[in-house]
Amino acid sequence: MQAVGTRPLKELVQWPAEGYTRVPLNVFTDPGIYQWEQDLIFRGRTWSFLGLEVEIPNPGDYITNRVGDTPVIVVRKADGSVNALVNRCIHKGSIICHQPKGTRERAHNFVCPYHNWIYDFDGNLKTIAFEKGIQDKGGMPADFDKSQHRLIRLRVETIKGLIFGTFADDTPPLREYLGPVMVEHLERTLYGKMKILGRYSQMMHNNWKLYIENSRDNYHPSLLHAFFSTFKLNRLSAEGGTRQDDKSWHHITFTKRYTDKGDAAYDSGMIRAQKEDYGLKDPSLIDQWMEYPDQITNAIQSIFPGFVLHQILNSLGTRQIITHGPKDCELVWTLLGFEEDTPEQTAVRIKQANLVGPAGLVSMEDGAIGGFVQKGIAGDLDGVAILEMGGRGVGGMPTRATETSVRGFWKVYRELMDV
Amino acid sequence: MSSAAPVVVPVTPQIEAPLPVRDAIARLNCAYGHIIDNDELERWPALFTADACYQILTRTDFDAGRPLGVWYCDNRAMLEDRVSSIREVNVYEPQIYRHVIGATEILGHEKDTWRTQTGYFVVRTMHDGEMMLFSAGRYLDDVIVENAGENMQARFRKRMVITDSSRYDTLLVIPL
């Protein structure tokens, strides 16, 4: 399944000799490159986030989602396992499930609304309406073999309630793909029984990769997002750094807000922000409890290609990038808590939702900054971006003044796209 | 029921509200839209009580009983912090809103507090002239209406902005 009719990638992308410290700007605008990415990245040897297990608790429960541009159905089977199928009838190509979520009784399975072709939860074509015709007239040819036609099925694996899928047979198993550093951080962040507190999405008028770069760029936050510094929430002595897996596919940036406060701040109770310390009229916005033994108060984890898990104080959430052509993308936010949370802890998570999302006091600029770049590079077909903050290499670093994980993204991108 | 009997169509129960109360609520909603649209955000928190709750959440989350939205303030000081942040901190392209606010339905009341709902839509105009239908939905409010001298005065004890769409364009910096 290659990008049929598209010019060869080598003609579309001429990567500068400097390597991944430079990015040719046409990768953010070219429709042909975008088509190749659908094949080689989203339907290639990568794992994409498909949804949360808590969304489909019972057999027959399904959700619909997208992997890049490709529509998928994610369904819970009778044996409790999860399947993912391309949501496209093999007859005419109509989507089969047009609801965002639902439950299918076993007898019905998935029925295409157009001509009632019916598939089971494994994607097998079970029946075709009027297969034998009506009153011996019409119908499918006698030699049409239903078993030769089926929905495309993804490989599925789950980790801590997160469902991932891949189209490629040769993608390494999920935990191997993530690497131990990423697995440990996912398991650490999602320690409880997951509960969805809210969901919304944000349309961004930029290429999807500009957002993913942003999620891996820990050089920008203190510069673009002035909320923390203006209201004196930044403590200069706060410890932080950047972590990656061995191959630089994925990224974690973290900070420890109370590094300078000694051990007294780390008991399990609420840490109340003091009004005199900050510029906020109501500093309860940033009251938090020390949720994690590692004393990390802020962590962004970005999994190649399009998944982000955030912990900002006690706000936890997943973000999934959905492509909308070369110049637009959508970020789907799901804010999380745990069933074990106390009412007071849930209230803290709700209040700290003010920090994230399209109205996030800290992060709203991320919805606009990619659009600023997209506008800025318009018309410049030969330009390049420069990525040399923190050196010219990849790998984890004990600092946030670095673009090492942005370079890591392009390293992997070039490997997958072979450019 | 015989075929000749008139058909009784159930209607929303009519809540008796004195005209001055209805008038005060209407004036509050009217001022709310104009204060935002005319970029007088410093006056916006005063439309709320000190212990007011202001929230923006999606219709899907509201219907599912999920508590969390893109915007959640549980007192007026948080609204004032929002205004400070809009003015001094957040980075966004210049943009203005135009609220079109529908008629208010009174759903019930307890003493001075009136539960109301009101439809709205907001057109957003960017500095370069680009316009879009930015948000449509309803306000679900608890409004306190009290005597203030010769007039009745209304303020929001709670305003829940329930957006029909769960998708927000670019960013949501100015209140809806």
Side-chain angles (χ1 to χ4, degrees):
Chain A
M1 189 160 45
Q2 296 298 304
V4 179
T6 306
R7 286 171 62 202
L9 255 178
K10 304 274 188 198
E11 291 179 18
L12 296 168
V13 184
Q14 278 86 46
W15 211 277
E18 291 93 333
Y20 49 63
T21 61
R22 295 290 183 278
V23 181
L25 296 178
N26 72 327
V27 301
F28 300 116
T29 59
D30 189 282
I33 295 171
Y34 177 85
Q35 285 305 321
W36 280 107
E37 290 169 352
Q38 295 295 325
D39 275 0
L40 299 176
I41 293 182
F42 292 104
R43 289 193 297 262
R45 289 181 291 110
T46 62
W47 287 96
S48 283
F49 176 72
L50 301 178
L52 303 169
E53 287 205 75
V54 70
E55 297 181 83
I56 48 171
N58 301 309
D61 289 350
Y62 73 89
I63 52 174
T64 55
N65 200 342
R66 282 175 42 196
V67 174
D69 283 352
T70 305
V72 294
I73 307 166
V74 185
V75 61
R76 176 82 64 182
K77 291 175 61 178
D79 66 2
S81 63
V82 176
N83 267 3
L85 306 165
V86 171
N87 187 10
R88 178 170 61 236
C89 183
I90 54 114
H91 174 214
K92 300 278 284 187
S94 169
I95 56 168
I96 297 162
C97 294
H98 58 280
Q99 306 270 15
K101 58 183 286 191
T103 302
R104 287 293 155 98
E105 302 301 329
R106 176 120 194 97
H108 293 84
N109 295 347
F110 294 123
V111 184
C112 178
Y114 200 170
H115 300 91
N116 288 14
W117 288 33
I118 299 178
Y119 304 87
D120 67 16
F121 290 167
D122 292 321
N124 298 309
L125 176 60
K126 303 302 285 185
T127 65
I128 294 174
F130 307 141
E131 184 176 1
K132 305 295 183 197
I134 299 172
Q135 296 170 341
D136 299 327
K137 299 186 185 68
M140 296 295 284
D143 62 352
F144 184 82
D145 183 358
K146 290 200 292 294
S147 72
Q148 296 303 306
H149 301 271
R150 51 164 297 124
L151 302 181
I152 297 167
R153 184 170 155 188
L154 287 71
R155 283 167 60 206
V156 171
E157 289 193 43
T158 63
I159 179 169
K160 296 303 280 184
L162 308 173
I163 305 169
F164 287 86
T166 182
F167 282 82
D169 293 333
D170 57 348
T171 315
L174 180 62
R175 279 173 169 72
E176 189 181 317
Y177 175 86
L178 294 169
V181 171
M182 295 296 134
V183 168
E184 180 191 42
H185 190 80
L186 284 174
E187 290 179 336
R188 161 256 189 221
T189 305
L190 300 173
Y191 61 86
K193 193 170 186 302
M194 194 182 284
K195 181 169 74 172
I196 296 176
L197 297 179
R199 173 173 286 170
Y200 44 77
S201 78
Q202 184 173 12
M203 277 304 288
M204 297 183 291
H205 301 292
N206 56 259
N207 185 278
W208 68 275
K209 299 187 293 300
L210 288 170
Y211 179 76
I212 296 302
E213 275 197 312
N214 176 279
S215 78
R216 303 167 68 115
D217 167 3
N218 39 17
Y219 172 30
H220 82 280
S222 63
L223 302 169
L224 175 64
H225 307 306
F227 183 82
F228 272 156
S229 52
T230 302
F231 291 110
K232 301 181 216 164
L233 312 187
N234 256 352
R235 292 181 181 274
L236 292 176
S237 54
E239 186 186 318
T242 307
R243 305 181 75 194
Q244 296 177 358
D245 58 296
D246 291 343
K247 296 171 184 161
S248 303
W249 283 63
H250 319 295
H251 157 83
I252 299 167
T253 181
F254 67 93
T255 53
K256 299 180 179 182
R257 178 180 166 194
Y258 292 103
T259 313
D260 58 342
K261 277 201 153 186
D263 290 337
Y266 305 135
D267 62 32
S268 57
M270 291 292 297
I271 304 169
R272 300 283 178 194
Q274 299 300 309
K275 188 165 182 172
E276 53 269 28
D277 288 350
Y278 303 101
L280 290 166
K281 288 189 173 174
D282 178 16
S284 74
L285 174 65
I286 51 166
D287 286 351
Q288 71 169 113
W289 80 94
M290 193 54 70
E291 189 164 3
Y292 297 96
D294 57 19
Q295 299 173 358
I296 289 174
T297 51
N298 194 328
I300 306 290
Q301 181 171 23
S302 186
I303 302 297
F304 194 96
F307 176 75
V308 175
L309 178 70
H310 81 244
Q311 173 214 342
I312 296 177
L313 310 187
N314 299 118
S315 169
L316 306 178
T318 62
R319 312 174 190 174
Q320 179 198 357
I321 202 83
I322 292 179
T323 55
H324 284 265
K327 295 177 184 175
D328 295 283
C329 65
E330 181 178 10
L331 190 65
V332 180
W333 298 72
T334 305
L335 282 292
L336 301 173
F338 301 119
E339 298 288 350
E340 300 90 332
D341 292 344
T342 64
E344 188 185 28
Q345 289 171 335
T346 299
V348 170
R349 295 200 202 279
I350 291 169
K351 192 170 265 196
Q352 287 175 358
N354 282 299
L355 300 174
V356 303
L361 289 164
V362 175
S363 65
M364 71 168 74
E365 289 87 3
D366 288 333
I369 198 66
F372 289 6
V373 175
Q374 199 80 40
K375 286 180 185 180
I377 66 177
D380 189 356
L381 298 177
D382 301 322
V384 293
I386 300 166
L387 301 172
E388 298 198 14
M389 182 58 58
R392 299 192 176 94
V394 296
M397 295 180 77
T399 175
R400 285 163 287 156
T402 176
E403 292 169 312
T404 177
S405 294
V406 183
R407 288 187 290 273
F409 175 84
W410 293 110
K411 170 180 171 284
V412 175
Y413 181 89
R414 294 184 64 193
E415 289 166 8
L416 287 170
M417 299 282 278
D418 191 23
V419 289
Chain B
M1 188 183 291
S2 76
S3 59
V7 177
V8 179
V9 180
V11 295
T12 307
Q14 294 295 306
I15 303 295
E16 291 295 330
L19 206 56
V21 168
R22 287 182 178 276
D23 185 51
I25 293 172
R27 279 188 278 118
L28 177 66
N29 277 311
C30 188
Y32 179 95
H34 286 130
I35 281 173
I36 295 172
D37 297 352
N38 295 343
D39 193 23
E40 299 174 291
L41 289 177
E42 285 70 18
R43 295 175 58 202
W44 177 66
L47 302 176
F48 295 81
T49 62
D51 62 348
C53 185
Y54 174 82
Q55 187 175 6
I56 302 174
L57 78 172
T58 74
R59 183 172 178 155
T60 303
D61 279 344
F62 177 79
D63 290 345
R66 291 175 183 157
L68 189 145
V70 291
W71 192 317
Y72 182 88
C73 298
D74 63 3
N75 61 70
R76 193 166 59 205
M78 286 188 77
L79 298 179
E80 290 164 356
D81 286 334
R82 273 277 177 181
V83 173
S84 300
S85 188
I86 293 166
R87 293 295 193 219
E88 298 164 26
V89 178
N90 294 124
V91 178
Y92 56 96
E93 292 175 280
Q95 54 191 272
I96 52 175
Y97 288 175
R98 180 62 55 199
H99 279 75
V100 177
I101 296 175
T104 295
E105 181 182 20
I106 293 179
L107 301 172
H109 79 109
E110 188 172 335
K111 297 181 182 165
D112 290 344
T113 304
W114 298 80
R115 166 59 62 100
T116 67
Q117 66 178 354
T118 308
Y120 76 89
F121 67 78
V122 170
V123 175
R124 186 185 66 185
T125 301
M126 304 299 291
H127 63 98
D128 63 358
E130 184 194 318
M131 302 176 79
M132 78 178 298
L133 181 52
F134 183 60
S135 183
R138 69 173 157 140
Y139 301 118
L140 187 59
D141 303 325
D142 288 338
V143 183
I144 290 184
V145 185
E146 296 168 311
N147 275 311
E150 296 191 354
N151 296 318
M152 302 293 280
Q153 188 191 45
R155 281 181 301 169
F156 296 111
R157 168 69 183 79
K158 182 175 187 180
R159 164 150 277 194
M160 194 179 268
V161 185
I162 303 166
T163 62
D164 288 343
S165 176
S166 58
R167 183 189 281 177
Y168 302 96
D169 188 85
T170 308
L171 51 75
L172 199 168
V173 58
I174 300 167
L176 289 173

